[in-house]
Amino acid sequence: MSNKHRSRRHRGRGQPRGKAPYQPPPKTSAIKRNTLRIIPLGGNEEVGRNSTVFEYNDTIVIVDLGLQFPEEDMPGIDYIIPNTTYLRGKETKIKGIIITHGHYDHIGGIPHLAHRLGNPPIYGTPLTLGIIRKRQDDFRDSPKPNLRVVQRDTMLRLGEFRVEFFGLSHNIPDSVGVVIRTPVGTVIHTGDFKLDPNERAENVTEMGKITQYGRQQILMLMADSTNASKPGRQLTEGEIEKNVEQIIRQAKGRLIIGTFSSLISRLSQIIKIAEGLGKKIVIEGYSMRTNLEIARELGYIRYHKDTVVPVQQMHRYPKNKLVILCTGAQGEGRAVLMRVANREHRFIRIEPGDTVLFSSSVVPGNERAVQRLTDGLYKEGAEVINYQMMDVHAGGHALQEDLKDMHRLVKPRYLMPIEGNYSFLKLHEKAAIEGGFSPKNVIVAGNGQIVECTKQGCVLTKERAVTDYVFVDGLGVGDVSHIVLRDRQQLAGDGMVVVIATIEEKTGRLVGTPEVITRGFVYVKENFKLIKQIQEKTKKILVDKDPKIPANDADLRNKIRDQIGQFLFTKTERRPLILPVIVQV
Amino acid sequence: MSNKHRSRRHRGRGQPRGKAPYQPPPKTSAIKRNTLRIIPLGGNEEVGRNSTVFEYNDTIVIVDLGLQFPEEDMPGIDYIIPNTTYLRGKETKIKGIIITHGHYDHIGGIPHLAHRLGNPPIYGTPLTLGIIRKRQDDFRDSPKPNLRVVQRDTMLRLGEFRVEFFGLSHNIPDSVGVVIRTPVGTVIHTGDFKLDPNERAENVTEMGKITQYGRQQILMLMADSTNASKPGRQLTEGEIEKNVEQIIRQAKGRLIIGTFSSLISRLSQIIKIAEGLGKKIVIEGYSMRTNLEIARELGYIRYHKDTVVPVQQMHRYPKNKLVILCTGAQGEGRAVLMRVANREHRFIRIEPGDTVLFSSSVVPGNERAVQRLTDGLYKEGAEVINYQMMDVHAGGHALQEDLKDMHRLVKPRYLMPIEGNYSFLKLHEKAAIEGGFSPKNVIVAGNGQIVECTKQGCVLTKERAVTDYVFVDGLGVGDVSHIVLRDRQQLAGDGMVVVIATIEEKTGRLVGTPEVITRGFVYVKENFKLIKQIQEKTKKILVDKDPKIPANDADLRNKIRDQIGQFLFTKTERRPLILPVIVQV
C-alpha cells in the first residue's frame, strides 16, 4: 500500500452528491399522441432501484419497482426508492406494475410506493409474489398490494398494450423477461438474466421463445447491463455445482456455507447435494429460513423433512455429516457468520476442522467488511474457501459474450442498455457495437431521460423525469433531505458542541457561566481545558455585547458559532457543528 | 443484485470494533536476558501502520513506523498510528528506527511518534528520507526528526545489532530489505517487495545478496504478505510498460493518466515513454508534483525541462501530443480526476476524443468511489481504460509463487509472515507449507504478539504488547476515544435532538415552553408537528415531577432522554442522540 490512497468519505465537509434539494420539478411536456415513452426512473445510473415506465396515450405500465442500497455518504439511510414524481396525477392511467423477479432491487419500492400510485395490479410469477407478500408483513400499515399471479405463458391486455413473458435464468427461480406489444412496436425488457439453457424447471432460459422474437421485428430490446463490464461468458450453475459438490463431499469436519438468502437457486442446489450425500443441514439466519419456507411451500425446493435439523440438535451428528447454511456472507454486522466469527452466536462456535465456504461474490462496498469477517474466521481457526480461490459462485447476470448472443437472437431494431452504472451501459453499448450493432441504434439513457418511439423509430429526447433520490430512513420516506444528510456528515466527521447561555431579559446581562455539552468531538474527560476555554470565549462575547441587542438575535448566535468554530478549528483542526442556545429569563 | 446484501455500516447502534478503551495496559513481563524479542506493533492484522520492534537486552531497533487509513466505522478519523505504549520508559534503549521505503504505511507515524520515542536516529535511503522530510513540512510544530542516510551497502552497528540492507523491487525506488544480525541469529525483514530482477537502478532486486543469505543459516525471514492471497506471480513493470507505451503511442486525442502519486517508479516510466514519443506532459495534483520534484532533485527521474508543460499552456499543443498525469485514481473527492469528472477543475474538462487511463489498482474500500468517478468520466464523454480491461498496472507485492521463491532463496529456519490482514498471514503460511516449509517453523503472530528467540530457536509467546488503535484526527493524537467514535456513529446514523428546559430554582417549576433543536434527524420545516410533540412530552415530564427533586438531577435528565427517545423511536424508528439540558434560574 502506498500513501494517500484512501478517499476521504467521512469528513462531511463537502456537498453530498446527488441533485440539489427542493428544486421545483422540471416540467415534462405533455405526452405526444400515439407516441410511446420509455422512462427509466432508476437503475440506469446505479445497480438498484430498477423501475421503468412505459406510457402510450392513456396507458401506463411500469416494469419493476426496486430499491437501492445507500452509498457511504448517506449515513443512517436504509435505502433509496424510485422517485415517482413523473407519475403524479397520472395514477388512473397506470394499468399495472410488472415485476420480473423477487429480488429487492426489483420489488423493494412496492410497500412504499404502490399505494401512492393508486394501488394498481402488480403482476408476477408465484415465487416473486410470495416474496413480495412476505416482505409486506414488515409494513403492516401499508395498504395490501393488489397482487396478480402470472405464469410464463400468461398473456395480459393492459390498456393499449399486450404483455407476454418468457423464462430467463437468474439466481432466483421464476425470473421472467417481459414482452410489451405496443401500437408502435414490440419492446422486450429482460429484467436480470444470464443465458443458461441447461437450467431446469423454473429457472430455464426459454431459448425457443427468444429465437421466435428474432423473427418478429422487435422494436427495442432493453437488456441487463449489470455485468456488461466483464468479458466472456457467465459461469453456469452446473459448472459450480461440481465444485460445491466436491467440497461438501470431502469436508472432514463441519462445513459452514455462507451465501445470500436471496440466491434461492443456490440454496436449493446445496440442499439437494447435501441430502444426496446423506448429510444433515442446519439453516441459520431469519431471511434464509423465511426464503426457504416460501420456496418450499410453493414447491421450488424439495427435501425430506429429516434432512434439516435444528441448530440445537446438531451435536447429535458426526461433524462430517453437518452442513450449516447461513447468512452473512457480505460481512453484515448482525448476520450469522459475523456473530460466529465474534463468538457471539448462541449455538455455533468455530471448532477445529471447520471449513467456511463463501458461495457468493462480494457486493461492491462490502469488500472491507467481508475481509474483516474472513480475518475473524481465520483467527478462530477455520479454513476459508471463497470465489477468489475456486469457482464456488456463479453470478446471475449476462457477461459481454452472453449479451452479444442475446442481441443476435432477438435482432431488435434498437438496443437500450439498462440496469447498471452508467459505465456499464456504455460498455454494454461497446459490446453491442463490437457484435455488429449499428452505433446509432443503441440508446444509452441516463436515469429519467425520456425515450420516444413512433412507428418511424426511437429517439433519445433531452427531456428528463425527476429522479432525485427518495430516501427511506426508519419509518420516514422522503423526510430526510440533503440538508439533513449534510448535517449527519458533519456530525459524523467532527461531532458537535452545544453552548448554552442564560441572559436576563430586562438587563441583557449574562447569568452565570455558559454551559458546554459536546458529543463526538473530543473526549471531554481529557479536555477540560478546552471546554473551559469555550466557556470563557462565550462569556466574553456576551459580556462585550451591546446590551440593547436582544438576546435572541440571530447575529449574536452567529457570532458565537463563528468565533467558537474558528477557535476550535485553530486548536484541533476539526469543525464540529456548533449550536448556540440563548435562554432568556 | 439481490436482497439485503449490503452490510449496515452507518447506523452506529453497535459497538465500534477494536479493543475496549481505557483498559490498563497488560503488563508485559521483563525481557529475559540474552533473548531477542520481535514484536509487530502493527501491520499484522491490517494493511497499514507497519512497525516492528526488535529488542535484545539494552538494544531496541524499530523497523518502519507507518500509518493506517481508517475503516468505514471510524468517521472523521484521519488515520491510525502504531501504539507505542510498549516502548514507554525504554526510550534510551532505542538505537534507531529503520525505514524500508517511503510509503505512508511505513513512514506515516514519524511526525507523531519519533519525538515521543526520544527522537532516535531514523535511517533510510535518500528517496525515503526525502519523502519523510517533505512530509515533516506539514508538521512544523513537531521536533525535527533525526534523519540519517543509508545506501544499500551501508552497514550499521546499533547497540548489540549489526544492520545491513539489500535492494528490493517495489513501486517506489530505493526500497530496501533489512538484515538484522543479533547475538542469537540473523533476522531478515523484507519490507514491501516483489521479485523483479530485471528492474534497473534503484529499483533492482539484489538477487546476488539474497542468494548469499541462503548460505548463512538465517534464523528468521519476516516477509511481506500483502498479496499472499493471490496465486501466481506478480506482473513486472516491464510487462505493463509495453501496454502503457502502446496506449500512449496510439492515443488519438489527449491521454489523461490517473495513478498514485506515490508510485514514483510508474510516474518515471510514463514520463520516459511520453518523452520518447515526443509528447508533452502536464502534471496535475499537489502530491504528484511534490513527489516528482523530490524524485527529480535526487536524480531518480530525468527528463528534459521542456517535456513538462504547465496546464495553462496545454492548448498550444495538438491533442494527440498531450499526456496529462494526475492524481485521483482512487476516486478521492478533491483530487484532480474527480474535479475533472464533476466539471470543477479550473483548466481541464473532458473533451471529445479524450481517453482516461487508470494506471492503478483499487485500494479496498474505494471501489464505489472509483466506480462513481468512472461513471462521471463516461458521462462527460471520455473513453476509460483500467486494469480490469488490460494489464496497465502492476502491484508492488510478491504473490504466492514469488513468496515461495523468496523462502527457497533465503532458506530461513523460521518464517514469520508480516504486513497484511490476518487472512493474508495465514495464506502466506499455507503457501510456505506448500513450498516445503515445516508447519512448526512458520510463526503467525497477531498484532502485539511477542516472539522470543534464543540460540535454541524461536517461539510465539502468549504475551502481547498493547496495540489498541491510536487515532489521529486533525491536530489531535489519541484524543478521540472509542466513546467519541460511538457518539459520532450515532450522530451520523440518526442525528440528534437537544431539549432545553428552564426551571425556576426556588419553586422547581418549569418556565415557558421547552426549546427543541435538532440536526441530522428529520427535516424540521416539514416536521413541525413532531417537534411540537417533543415539547409537549418534555413539558409533561417536568410539570409532573416532584417539585422536591432538584432540576439538575441526573434521573430527571435520564427520564427525558428515555421517554423522548422511546417516543421518537415509535414515531420514526430512528434513535437520535438526545441531549436534555435543564437551565435553573
Side-chain angles (χ1 to χ4, degrees), chain A residues 341-517:
Chain A
N342 291 340
R343 304 191 191 186
E344 290 167 3
H345 194 279
R346 253 181 95 191
F347 300 105
I348 309 173
R349 288 275 180 288
I350 293 295
E351 297 171 6
D354 283 356
T355 302
V356 179
L357 168 64
F358 286 82
S359 183
S360 57
S361 57
V362 179
V363 173
N366 291 351
E367 291 81 1
R368 305 189 103 197
V370 173
Q371 184 60 55
R372 274 198 298 276
L373 171 61
T374 307
D375 289 339
L377 292 167
Y378 269 114
K379 274 189 214 164
E380 289 294 296
E383 274 295 311
V384 176
I385 302 174
N386 62 35
Y387 77 108
Q388 289 165 317
M389 303 172 180
M390 207 171 166
D391 286 338
V392 289
H393 174 71
H397 304 275
L399 308 195
Q400 286 170 4
E401 295 307 314
D402 303 314
L403 290 171
K404 288 182 200 170
D405 281 352
M406 190 58 134
H407 306 158
R408 271 191 290 265
L409 285 167
V410 176
K411 299 192 191 76
R413 185 161 160 209
Y414 294 94
L415 171 71
M416 183 167 161
I418 54 168
E419 299 176 345
N421 291 70
Y422 195 82
S423 310
F424 304 169
L425 308 185
K426 291 296 287 183
L427 290 165
H428 190 165
E429 175 186 43
K430 198 175 169 190
I433 293 169
E434 277 171 20
F437 230 96
S438 161
K440 65 179 202 309
N441 286 13
V442 184
I443 297 179
V444 177
N447 280 335
Q449 231 181 327
I450 296 175
V451 176
E452 287 186 345
C453 301
T454 60
K455 285 186 176 150
Q456 278 66 54
C458 297
V459 289
L460 181 65
T461 70
K462 290 205 186 309
E463 267 187 82
R464 277 181 183 272
V466 180
T467 57
D468 296 1
Y469 286 148
V470 176
F471 297 120
V472 176
D473 179 3
L475 296 181
V477 176
D479 68 337
V480 171
S481 65
H482 284 77
I483 295 171
V484 173
L485 272 193
R486 200 162 48 215
D487 284 344
R488 285 186 185 174
Q489 289 171 5
Q490 188 178 3
L491 289 165
D494 295 305
M496 55 112 175
V497 174
V498 187
V499 184
I500 305 129
T502 309
I503 283 191
E504 203 180 52
E505 197 173 0
K506 271 183 259 165
T507 61
R509 270 199 310 235
L510 179 68
V511 182
T513 299
E515 195 178 343
V516 173
I517 302 176

Side-chain angles (χ1 to χ4, degrees), chain B residues 22-36:
Chain B
Y22 311 113
Q23 286 179 339
K27 277 251 166 34
T28 42
S29 63
I31 178 166
K32 300 186 192 106
R33 290 296 297 172
N34 303 333
T35 301
L36 173 69

Side-chain angles (χ1 to χ4, degrees), chain B residues 308-376:
Chain B
V308 173
V309 299
V311 67
Q312 298 89 331
Q313 285 168 30
M314 68 177 174
H315 60 273
R316 298 191 187 168
Y317 301 92
K319 290 187 178 177
N320 65 356
K321 292 286 174 202
L322 280 172
V323 174
I324 301 170
L325 205 51
C326 65
T327 57
Q330 293 301 308
E332 302 96 322
R334 299 306 307 154
V336 178
L337 271 180
M338 195 62 103
R339 282 187 283 139
V340 170
N342 292 340
R343 303 192 192 187
E344 290 167 3
H345 194 279
R346 253 181 94 190
F347 300 105
I348 309 174
R349 290 273 181 289
I350 293 295
E351 297 170 7
D354 283 356
T355 302
V356 179
L357 168 64
F358 285 81
S359 183
S360 57
S361 56
V362 178
V363 172
N366 291 351
E367 290 80 2
R368 304 188 105 196
V370 173
Q371 184 60 55
R372 275 198 298 276
L373 171 61
T374 307
D375 289 339

Side-chain angles (χ1 to χ4, degrees), chain B residues 345-522:
Chain B
H345 194 279
R346 253 181 94 190
F347 300 105
I348 309 174
R349 290 273 181 289
I350 293 295
E351 297 170 7
D354 283 356
T355 302
V356 179
L357 168 64
F358 285 81
S359 183
S360 57
S361 56
V362 178
V363 172
N366 291 351
E367 290 80 2
R368 304 188 105 196
V370 173
Q371 184 60 55
R372 275 198 298 276
L373 171 61
T374 307
D375 289 339
L377 292 167
Y378 270 113
K379 274 188 214 164
E380 289 293 297
E383 274 294 312
V384 175
I385 302 173
N386 63 35
Y387 77 108
Q388 290 166 315
M389 304 173 180
M390 208 170 165
D391 286 338
V392 289
H393 174 71
H397 304 275
L399 308 195
Q400 285 169 5
E401 295 307 316
D402 303 314
L403 290 170
K404 289 182 198 169
D405 281 352
M406 189 60 133
H407 307 157
R408 270 191 289 266
L409 286 167
V410 176
K411 300 190 190 73
R413 186 161 158 209
Y414 295 95
L415 171 71
M416 182 168 162
I418 54 168
E419 299 176 345
N421 292 71
Y422 195 81
S423 313
F424 304 168
L425 308 184
K426 291 298 285 183
L427 290 165
H428 190 165
E429 175 186 42
K430 196 174 173 193
I433 293 168
E434 277 170 19
F437 229 96
S438 161
K440 66 179 203 307
N441 286 14
V442 183
I443 297 179
V444 177
N447 281 334
Q449 230 180 329
I450 295 175
V451 176
E452 288 186 344
C453 302
T454 61
K455 284 185 176 154
Q456 278 64 54
C458 297
V459 288
L460 181 65
T461 71
K462 292 208 186 305
E463 267 187 81
R464 276 181 184 270
V466 181
T467 56
D468 295 1
Y469 286 147
V470 176
F471 297 119
V472 176
D473 178 3
L475 296 181
V477 177
D479 67 338
V480 171
S481 65
H482 284 76
I483 295 171
V484 173
L485 273 193
R486 199 163 49 216
D487 285 344
R488 284 187 187 174
Q489 289 171 5
Q490 188 178 2
L491 289 166
D494 295 306
M496 54 113 175
V497 175
V498 187
V499 183
I500 305 130
T502 309
I503 283 191
E504 202 179 53
E505 199 173 357
K506 271 182 265 168
T507 61
R509 272 200 308 236
L510 179 68
V511 182
T513 299
E515 194 177 344
V516 174
I517 303 175
T518 170
R519 291 285 187 284
F521 169 51
V522 291

Side-chain angles (χ1 to χ4, degrees), chain B residues 78-224:
Chain B
D78 294 330
Y79 43 84
I80 301 159
I81 55 176
N83 190 317
T84 53
T85 305
Y86 179 83
L87 297 167
R88 216 178 282 159
K90 298 185 173 186
E91 291 77 6
T92 55
K93 293 185 180 182
I94 302 173
K95 307 304 177 198
I97 301 172
I98 296 162
I99 305 294
T100 58
H101 64 282
H103 283 160
Y104 278 23
D105 52 336
H106 295 257
I107 68 166
I110 293 174
H112 308 287
L113 295 172
H115 58 280
R116 296 185 192 198
L117 298 174
N119 219 0
I122 297 174
Y123 298 94
T125 52
L127 182 62
T128 305
L129 296 191
I131 294 170
I132 294 172
R133 208 172 278 123
K134 184 76 201 173
R135 183 156 189 263
Q136 207 68 22
D137 292 350
D138 298 339
F139 299 88
R140 294 194 185 275
D141 294 339
S142 291
K144 214 175 143 192
N146 182 359
L147 302 182
R148 308 217 184 150
V149 73
V150 297
Q151 305 292 347
R152 289 204 301 256
D153 55 2
T154 301
M155 290 172 80
L156 299 173
R157 181 169 289 281
L158 299 177
E160 296 195 57
F161 300 160
R162 277 188 301 124
V163 175
E164 301 159 24
F165 303 91
F166 60 105
L168 280 173
S169 306
H170 188 42
N171 37 31
I172 182 168
D174 246 8
S175 298
V176 290
V178 184
V179 182
I180 304 177
R181 304 206 185 266
T182 82
V184 301
T186 298
V187 179
I188 291 183
H189 184 298
T190 65
D192 290 354
F193 79 102
K194 63 176 172 178
L195 292 176
D196 196 345
N198 296 327
E199 273 290 323
R200 285 143 294 185
E202 303 80 9
N203 218 359
V204 73
T205 305
E206 290 190 305
M207 294 302 277
K209 281 189 187 172
I210 295 171
T211 311
Q212 280 291 330
Y213 302 140
R215 303 195 190 105
Q216 296 174 5
Q217 297 191 298
I218 298 300
L219 178 66
M220 183 184 284
L221 172 67
M222 302 172 70
D224 179 7

